């Protein structure tokens, strides 16, 4: 039995929980998590749980015990264990530093090698997210070490770590350290929680062995409910999988799918795969198939599918959820991971009744614990934005939890070509860690350049791919298994060539009225037209002009007009997104799974949209008008044009892409769509000038033949080939490319300042990085004071309240929060509140309110209740807010049809890039 004084030490004060029980709680949780997060780890499970329990041994210290005088046992006070404690030393005392300090000699006496002890100590020291906590001298060691030793004897008695175990040096110090610290933190967070673990509910038996058994039972239950338990592979069999075993509804394989299946059946080991194929080719289904095969080989489960935007993530989430439901597996609904995921659907399905009588609502609430951005990637099956994965490679607090979440999963990244030099630098660092963590990675793209691909392969494998002589074939599958030479596989079957006519429209890029007239003329005979603008304001202007034309009788009354962009409040945007997919989405026969005509498709329609429809959305149009954009994005946009050949055929029999160009005066004027450097030194804008100029040089050919032209077009623009162009264009390209090289170097350098170290196998270098910073939380301005994954996005998340009842409810909630710091509004209210979220350009926030209007509420996070999640709140009764910017009147208006507008006499550069997470 534990001596009285050691038994009386506290670990948790609200409600009070004894230290010895807390240490056993943590060990119990770690034991339940180990099968998934520590399979075949370098330490036996007994020692793993023992060391994880000891990570809080530093709480057996007078400086910690004095932090909550109300929790101190009277016996501890009476025997003088807290006498002579300096109050100034109590403030800022870090128990994790004391734990690490105490463990170093303890493990050294047991004969553990110094290089292993250094990793263990760094893990213990960094379990609160800072690997360099401030240390205090152990002035009371003589008095307190016996109590620590009594706690250690208790843990040895209950956990029974092998007494003669002496580890060798870790095979890979960084991998072992990251997985170890991740398991420590996860075990601690679960065991320390009144919810979901509920340590205060475990029967308070004084028998340590009996208590540990009760804690283990509770830990198993909670880990299962959190879906953190290890699950068997759903395709456990001896032979490689066929694609139709994973996707039974696919009646006929596409050529790239046939090539992939042949490769899998011949045997391909887990590693890196890059699948390059046209839009609509079924790359997502191919990726899921390959992921299931690689998981079958490894005997595990789990996938994270990462996409560029929230809109594409939402659509993929629904598709993947349907897939998992039909799969032979115990895994339920996947997790959706992005900044607004909790607003989509009902968060989580009902969970079954638990053994202790709690109902399904309570069990579902337990699962919500995993919804925190730091923990979400731990979900076994998940879909979300690419930012969530890239954050794993940034030096953020508890970023190692994201790496742990990816470990043993397969990582799938769609539209991998879509990321700039800044994001590519982060992605390459992530791939290096995936290599060492043995995380298989599948990259998808229709438009990946050879240089991009070479960099990605080198980052993952550490070796270059032998170049294919001449122009690489397309479609192409590239495989780079760990420890093996990379190789490529060409799709063998012939593709049906799709001929797209290009019609260049000089002068329309800056002319909303002329663009609207052109769209109206194309819809006169029927069909569905998409006008894709590069900025929200231009999309709004085109749509307004179309509305004016319709009202004036210059267009048929039956033409269906829609506007879709990112600057609608979340609730309205969700409605529009669903409506767009209902009208223009792909419909499949429930029995044959073949594409059939969409009965909801309007006979005449114009959709004006921004990049929200550019990638991964399964929508289809007869004709498209597109603002000039880089050639790879034009090709992506073409993926929404005549996407599926169905009967009855399209009203416009031949696919035509009208490309809206500048006036082509000298020099070439791309207006607001080119990338510029702002006053603060950050790059802003949409597209880079050199890429636009090179794209301009390939457009005079007058048509694209796909997929035959894919490779040539991409390499012409991104591969540095000499282009046929007039002298003026050639000169401008040369100047712009010099500027681009300088900018790319700058972006890469800036990204590297935030990256975690490369995974050194000899030293736990992750713990030696500069002090970790906080993540750029949902709603905060993305800046260099918080690690970010996207550069040049100067938007701020705002909640715009227009309805009187919600404004009053918000102010009432603020009043309650001011009186009670722990006040937490009901979830239904928060959901109503956050449905009003929209990302706004940062300069809008500089406006001062006019008389009668309230200022934008963007006080520092420390002055705000946590449930506001660092969002700005705009009070705009009736949908309007008036103010002054640079001394000139401005109006912020929320329009149900146009979205959010900012009308003023000032001239500001508008940016509209890829949406954030």
């Amino acid at each position: 039995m534990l001596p009285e004084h050691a038994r009386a030490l506290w670990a948790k004060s609200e409600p009070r929980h004894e230290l010895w029980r807390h240490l056993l709680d943590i060990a119990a949780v770690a034991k339940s998590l180990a099968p998934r997060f520590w399979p075949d780890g370098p330490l036996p499970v007994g020692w793993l749980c023992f060391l994880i329990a000891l990570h809080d041994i530093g709480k057996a210290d007078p400086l910690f015990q004095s932090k909550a005088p109300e929790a101190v046992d009277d016996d501890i006070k009476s025997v003088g264990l807290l006498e002579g404690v300096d109050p100034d030393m109590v403030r800022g005392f870090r128990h994790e530093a004391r734990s690490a300090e105490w463990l170093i000699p303890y493990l050294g006496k047991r004969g553990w090698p110094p290089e292993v002890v250094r990793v263990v100590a760094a893990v213990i020291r960094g379990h609160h997210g800072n690997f360099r906590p401030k240390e205090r001298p152990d002035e009371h060691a003589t008095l307190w070490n016996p109590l620590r030793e009594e706690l250690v004897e208790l843990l040895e008695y209950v956990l029974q770590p092998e007494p003669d175990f002496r580890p060798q040096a870790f095979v890979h110090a960084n991998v072992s350290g990251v997985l170890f610290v991740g398991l420590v933190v996860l075990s601690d967070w679960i065991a320390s929680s009144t919810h979901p673990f509920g340590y205060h509910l475990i029967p308070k038996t004084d028998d340590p062995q009996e208590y540990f058994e009760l804690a283990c039972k509770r830990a198993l239950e909670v880990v299962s409910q959190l879906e953190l338990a290890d699950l068997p592979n759903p395709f456990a069999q001896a032979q490689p999988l066929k694609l139709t075993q994973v996707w039974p509804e696919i009646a006929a394989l596409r050529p790239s799918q046939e090539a992939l299946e042949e490769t899998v059946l011949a045997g391909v080991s887990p590693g890196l795969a890059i699948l390059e194929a046209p839009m609509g080719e079924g790359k997502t289904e191919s990726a899921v198939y390959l992921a299931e095969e690689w998981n079958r080989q490894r005997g595990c489960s789990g996938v994270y599918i990462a996409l560029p935007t929230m809109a594409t993530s939402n659509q993929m989430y629904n598709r993947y959820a349907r897939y998992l439901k039909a799969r032979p597996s115990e895994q339920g609904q996947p997790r959706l991971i992005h900044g607004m995921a909790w607003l989509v659907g009902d968060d989580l399905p009902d969970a079954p009744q638990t053994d202790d009588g709690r109902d399904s609502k309570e069990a579902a609430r337990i699962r919500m614990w995993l919804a925190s951005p730091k923990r979400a990637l731990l979900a076994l099956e998940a879909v979300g934005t690419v930012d969530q994965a890239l954050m794993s490679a940034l030096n953020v607090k508890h970023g190692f939890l994201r790496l742990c979440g990816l470990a043993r999963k397969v990582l799938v990244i769609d539209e991998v070509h879509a990321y700039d030099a800044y994001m590519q630098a982060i992605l390459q660092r992530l791939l290096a860690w995936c290599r060492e963590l043995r995380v298989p990675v599948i990259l998808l793209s229709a438009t990946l350049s050879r240089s991009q691909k070479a960099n990605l392969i080198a980052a993952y494998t550490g070796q270059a791919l032998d170049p294919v002589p001449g122009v690489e074939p397309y479609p192409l599958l590239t495989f780079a298994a760990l420890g093996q030479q990379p190789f490529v596989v060409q799709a063998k079957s012939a593709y049906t060539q799709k001929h797209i006519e290009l019609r260049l429209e000089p002068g329309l890029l800056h002319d909303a009225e002329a663009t609207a007239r052109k769209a109206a003329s194309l819809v006169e005979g029927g069909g569905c037209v998409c006008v894709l603008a590069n900025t929200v304001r231009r999309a709004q202007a085109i749509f307004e002009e179309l509305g004016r034309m319709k009202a004036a009788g210059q267009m048929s009354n039956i033409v269906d007009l829609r506007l879709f962009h990112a600057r609608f409040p979340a609730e309205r945007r969700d409605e529009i997104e669903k409506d767009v997919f209902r009208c223009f989405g792909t419909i499949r026969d429930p029995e044959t799974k073949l594409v059939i005509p969409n009965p909801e498709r309007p006979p005449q329609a114009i959709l004006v949209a921004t990049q929200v429809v550019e990638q991964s959305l399964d929508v289809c149009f007869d004709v498209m008008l597109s603002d000039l954009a880089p050639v790879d994005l034009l090709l992506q946009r073409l993926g929404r044009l005549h996407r599926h050949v169905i009967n009855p055929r399209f009203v416009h029999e031949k696919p035509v892409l009208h490309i809206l160009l500048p006036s082509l005066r000298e020099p070439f004027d791309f207006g607001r769509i080119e990338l510029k450097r702002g006053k603060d030194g950050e790059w802003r804008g949409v597209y880079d000038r050199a890429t636009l100029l090179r794209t301009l040089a390939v457009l005079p050919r007058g048509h694209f033949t796909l997929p035959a032209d894919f490779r040539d077009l991409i390499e012409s623009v991104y591969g540095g080939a000499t282009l046929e162009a007039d002298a003026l264009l050639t000169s401008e390209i040369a100047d712009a490319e010099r500027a681009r090289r300088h900018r790319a170097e700058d972006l890469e350098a800036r990204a590297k300042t935030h990256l975690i170290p490369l995974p050194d196998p000899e030293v736990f270098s992750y713990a030696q990085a500069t002090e970790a910073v906080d993540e750029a939380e949902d709603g905060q301005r993305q800046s260099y004071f918080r690690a970010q994954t996207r550069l040049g996005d100067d938007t701020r998340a705002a909640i715009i309240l227009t309805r009187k009842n919600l404004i009053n409810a918000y102010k009432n909630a603020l009043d309650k929060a001011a009186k009670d710091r722990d006040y937490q509004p009901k979830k239904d209210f928060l959901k109503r509140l956050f449905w009003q979220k929209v990302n706004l350009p940062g300069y809008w926030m500089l406006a001062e309110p006019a008389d009668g209007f309230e200022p934008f509420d963007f006080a520092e996070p420390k002055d705000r209740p946590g449930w506001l999640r660092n969002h700005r709140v705009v009070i705009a009764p009736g949908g309007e807010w008036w103010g002054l910017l640079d001394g000139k009147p401005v109006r912020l208006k929320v329009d149900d049809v146009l979205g959010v507008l900012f009308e003023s006499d000032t001239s500001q550069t508008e940016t509209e890039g890829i949406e954030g997470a």
Side-chain angles (χ1 to χ4, degrees), residues 484-528:
Q484 299 179 22
Q485 182 65 32
F487 67 95
V488 299
V489 175
Q490 183 179 0
K492 298 177 182 178
S493 303
Y495 275 76
T496 301
Q497 300 297 318
K498 184 167 150 183
H499 301 278
I500 294 96
E501 181 182 350
L502 304 181
R503 295 187 185 173
L504 307 185
E505 309 286 355
L508 266 64
L509 185 62
H510 306 311
D511 192 333
E513 183 179 346
T515 301
R517 288 199 304 268
K518 186 69 181 180
S521 70
L522 292 171
V523 82
E524 282 180 358
C528 298

Side-chain angles (χ1 to χ4, degrees), residues 244-260:
T244 50
Q245 289 175 268
V246 176
W247 294 100
E249 66 269 31
I250 295 181
L253 302 186
R254 302 289 294 161
S256 65
Q257 292 174 334
E258 289 180 350
L260 176 62

Side-chain angles (χ1 to χ4, degrees), residues 72-127:
V72 177
D73 188 270
D74 289 340
D75 286 343
I76 298 294
K77 297 176 183 177
S78 65
V79 296
L81 284 170
L82 300 184
E83 289 182 1
V85 172
D86 183 351
D88 291 334
M89 295 287 282
V90 172
R91 289 189 294 271
F93 172 72
R94 303 304 310 178
H95 68 272
E96 64 269 32
R98 179 73 80 236
S99 296
E101 176 190 17
W102 185 87
L103 265 173
I104 292 172
Y106 172 80
L107 294 176
K109 290 176 184 177
R110 286 181 168 270
W112 282 38
E115 56 269 33
V116 173
V117 174
R118 282 194 292 270
V119 173
V120 174
V123 164
I124 301 304
R125 190 178 292 111
H127 77 264

Side-chain angles (χ1 to χ4, degrees), residues 143-159:
L143 192 59
W144 279 79
N145 271 338
L147 276 74
R148 297 165 186 158
E149 290 164 3
E150 288 165 0
L151 290 168
V152 171
E153 289 177 7
L154 167 80
L155 295 175
E156 289 176 336
Y157 167 74
V158 175
L159 303 177

